[in-house]
Amino acid sequence: MAREGTLIGDRYRLLGPAGTGTVVWHAQDERLDRIVAVKPLFDEPPAVPAIPAPRAAICDVVDQDSTTYLVLEYPGARTLTELLGEHGTLAPGLVARFGARLAAELAAAHDDGVLHAAVDPDHVVISAEGHAGIVGGGRALRAFLAPEVLDGGFPDFPAEVYSLGATLYAAVGGEQRHPLIEAVVHLLHPDPTARPTMAVAEELLNSVTPRGPEAAPDRGAPRGVAGDYRCV
């Protein structure tokens, strides 16, 4: 039976169900470093898929363990708020992966002395390829501000670490038992001096990102393979 971490067709690693009560999975295409949807056709009872969209293109068909899987194109870039509105929560493996990407982006900005100051689900955008980025500016939604900022303090780098943690916690749902939750709790420490730097947060999130034994650490860059992925 399919489960998180299963590798389908030596290429598509299942990250988690794409919503409650669905047989559609988020999966990482390990050849092209992109997110796809995988739907088993025959081994589970029918259900209404949370993703992909009704007319999503079929990219691949894989037979494995007496089951046929359709690999489908993932919908285009959307904000995390939109995704959570559709699915409620997201698979921990997927959240860990895009969380590490966001931390890498923010760590690079921190190295340059730049503070984004608006890290929340409204400002996080996730592409069809699974790449995540932060858009816009201004101030994060109140629910994602660090306690010292809510108390009137000025936003700084530790406060941004907290906002990232709060964003990922909301994405995965804190009640889940997964190593990601333990990593995120470090980012949410009430004492700003006890929080990790953004660079350390990236390392923590990479450490709980599912990958095959041969995979290199995810630093947010595509592998650059092209020309062998066709949706028909």
Side-chain angles (χ1 to χ4, degrees):
M1 184 176 180
R3 60 183 179 180
E4 183 174 338
T6 299
L7 189 64
I8 303 296
D10 295 323
R11 176 170 177 177
Y12 308 105
R13 189 167 301 279
L14 301 184
L15 299 175
T20 303
T22 176
V23 296
V24 179
W25 290 77
H26 298 291
Q28 176 77 12
D29 181 344
E30 296 194 340
R31 187 178 302 172
L32 295 185
D33 193 20
R34 63 186 292 167
I35 301 298
V36 294
V38 173
K39 180 178 181 179
L41 290 183
F42 305 125
D43 68 338
E44 299 188 54
V48 177
I51 64 166
R55 296 188 180 181
I58 298 174
C59 300
D60 201 355
V61 180
V62 178
D63 290 314
Q64 181 170 310
D65 298 330
S66 301
T67 300
T68 298
Y69 296 87
L70 289 183
V71 180
L72 301 151
E73 188 177 52
Y74 194 81
R78 288 176 290 173
T79 67
L80 182 56
T81 295
E82 291 172 326
L83 289 173
L84 295 179
E86 182 176 346
H87 304 303
T89 58
L90 300 178
L94 179 61
V95 175
R97 191 176 301 279
F98 74 66
R101 294 182 185 276
L102 293 174
E105 178 180 332
L106 290 167
H110 289 189
D111 285 345
D112 291 334
V114 176
L115 188 73
H116 188 278
V119 180
D120 62 29
D122 278 358
H123 292 90
V124 171
V125 175
I126 303 171
S127 75
E129 292 77 22
H131 301 307
I134 302 174
V135 298
R139 185 168 173 144
L141 297 171
R142 182 176 178 85
F144 299 90
L145 293 174
E148 66 270 19
V149 177
L150 291 174
D151 288 340
F154 189 79
D156 55 11
F157 296 141
E160 194 145 274
V161 170
Y162 183 97
S163 292
L164 176 62
T167 298
L168 301 180
Y169 192 89
V172 75
E175 75 283 356
Q176 296 196 36
R177 296 177 62 87
H178 191 277
L180 172 63
I181 298 298
E182 183 177 350
V184 167
V185 165
H186 289 292
L187 279 60
L188 294 173
H189 200 289
D191 181 356
T193 64
R195 292 175 205 145
T197 65
M198 194 64 77
V200 173
E202 179 192 358
E203 294 176 1
L204 284 171
L205 294 167
N206 269 317
S207 72
V208 297
T209 298
R211 58 176 63 86
E214 75 287 351
D218 187 346
R219 296 299 178 186
R223 293 186 177 88
V225 181
D228 63 344
Y229 195 89
R230 295 290 183 270
C231 292
V232 295

